[in-house]
Amino acid sequence: SSLASIPSPRAAPDLFAPATPLPAPKLFSTPLDKVLDAYGHARPAVPHIVADTLAYLEGCAMHVPNLFRGSADKRAIHDLKDAFEAAYKKQLRLRPDELSPLSSDPNVPASLLKLFLYYLPSPLLAPTPDTYARLVATTAPRELNAIIATLPEPNQAIGEVLFPFLARLAVNHQDNKLTPAVLASVFAPILLPPRDPECRGGSGVCMGDGGVGTRGVDESEGRDSACEGVGGGCDDFTTLIFFFFISSSSSIFT
């Protein structure tokens, strides 16, 4: 046979070729433990986006009417989101001078905080169906404290900073119109969404009217019609529980 018919040998692999880069860490829609692990030895107790937005709002927005309920510019929200994502990929933290120009309207960081919490793969206060069932079965502070103590450490850490902040916000309700009941109606569907097999396409999680999309970020699916008529609306009871969380945060998250 001719030499032309002999197959040529396969090329040897290039041992010095650069390896395929690992995907960059993603801040949004990522489990909390993975978000925090990405910081390595500098792992914070809570994600910087939570700590920094709360610190910013504490410093300048405690008397702003309808915070977390007012509309905000979508482009400004996404610009701030991109800034946090970029800093996270480099394991950095936004400096105050970087944060302030991107959030001159307090509703921008407020909306972004809701957006981050909304897109957690599992609800902050009910990461499992069992946790949800136990939470909605009691309003006794000692029992609630015991349930909270079983949450993953990152979930507890966020609760320890978020709920006292909301309680302090409610103290100024005569100025900001944010009573515990109002704050509960906003945050309960995000952090403690009712579980129902007919809600959210069978996912078992039902978002209510206080979802992110109805208050300045057009990302939420809103209330599912299948949830109407269940005890006056799917989120009524969890809103009550959440109201209790805010009102009793000093005794539950300690």
Side-chain angles (χ1 to χ4, degrees), residues 132-196:
Y132 176 81
R134 293 175 63 199
L135 281 174
V136 300
T138 183
T139 55
R142 180 172 296 182
E143 293 181 22
L144 288 172
N145 188 279
I147 297 169
I148 293 300
T150 67
L151 292 177
E153 183 179 337
N155 298 51
Q156 292 186 52
I158 290 180
E160 289 170 1
V161 295
L162 176 62
F163 283 93
F165 167 80
L166 294 177
R168 292 191 296 272
L169 201 59
V171 168
N172 300 315
H173 67 270
Q174 291 187 333
D175 295 332
N176 60 31
K177 316 301 181 187
L178 297 173
T179 64
V182 169
L183 289 168
S185 71
V186 172
F187 279 94
I190 299 174
L191 302 186
L192 190 62
R195 293 181 175 271
D196 187 293

Side-chain angles (χ1 to χ4, degrees), residues 1-8:
S1 61
S2 68
L3 294 178
S5 64
I6 300 177
S8 58

Side-chain angles (χ1 to χ4, degrees), residues 230-248:
V230 182
C234 265
D235 60 323
D236 286 359
F237 192 68
T238 50
T239 299
L240 175 63
I241 297 295
F242 207 82
F243 166 82
F244 190 83
F245 275 15
I246 296 173
S247 301
S248 308

Side-chain angles (χ1 to χ4, degrees), residues 15-209:
L15 299 179
F16 299 98
T20 302
L22 295 174
K26 188 177 181 182
L27 179 59
F28 282 70
S29 306
T30 300
L32 283 173
D33 57 341
K34 294 186 180 299
V35 168
L36 296 172
D37 285 346
Y39 289 103
H41 294 299
R43 174 183 169 121
V46 299
H48 292 325
I49 187 173
V50 174
D52 292 346
T53 52
L54 288 178
Y56 178 85
L57 295 172
E58 183 98 52
C60 69
M62 299 302 282
H63 296 270
V64 173
N66 294 312
L67 187 70
F68 292 111
R69 302 182 75 210
S71 61
D73 180 74
K74 292 181 183 179
R75 174 44 53 195
I77 294 170
H78 287 291
D79 285 347
L80 186 58
K81 177 178 179 289
D82 290 345
F84 271 108
E85 284 279 14
Y88 176 70
K89 289 176 182 177
K90 299 176 182 178
Q91 299 183 14
L92 298 176
R93 189 170 192 169
L94 287 183
R95 301 189 308 272
D97 63 311
E98 295 175 305
L99 180 60
S100 297
L102 294 171
S103 54
S104 56
D105 175 7
N107 285 299
V108 172
S111 294
L112 186 65
L113 176 62
K114 289 196 299 180
L115 190 65
F116 174 77
L117 296 171
Y118 172 74
Y119 276 110
L120 290 176
S122 59
L124 185 79
L125 294 181
T128 67
D130 178 67
T131 306
Y132 176 81
R134 293 175 63 199
L135 281 174
V136 300
T138 183
T139 55
R142 180 172 296 182
E143 293 181 22
L144 288 172
N145 188 279
I147 297 169
I148 293 300
T150 67
L151 292 177
E153 183 179 337
N155 298 51
Q156 292 186 52
I158 290 180
E160 289 170 1
V161 295
L162 176 62
F163 283 93
F165 167 80
L166 294 177
R168 292 191 296 272
L169 201 59
V171 168
N172 300 315
H173 67 270
Q174 291 187 333
D175 295 332
N176 60 31
K177 316 301 181 187
L178 297 173
T179 64
V182 169
L183 289 168
S185 71
V186 172
F187 279 94
I190 299 174
L191 302 186
L192 190 62
R195 293 181 175 271
D196 187 293
E198 299 300 322
C199 294
R200 292 291 293 268
S203 67
V205 179
C206 174
M207 292 297 293
D209 286 334

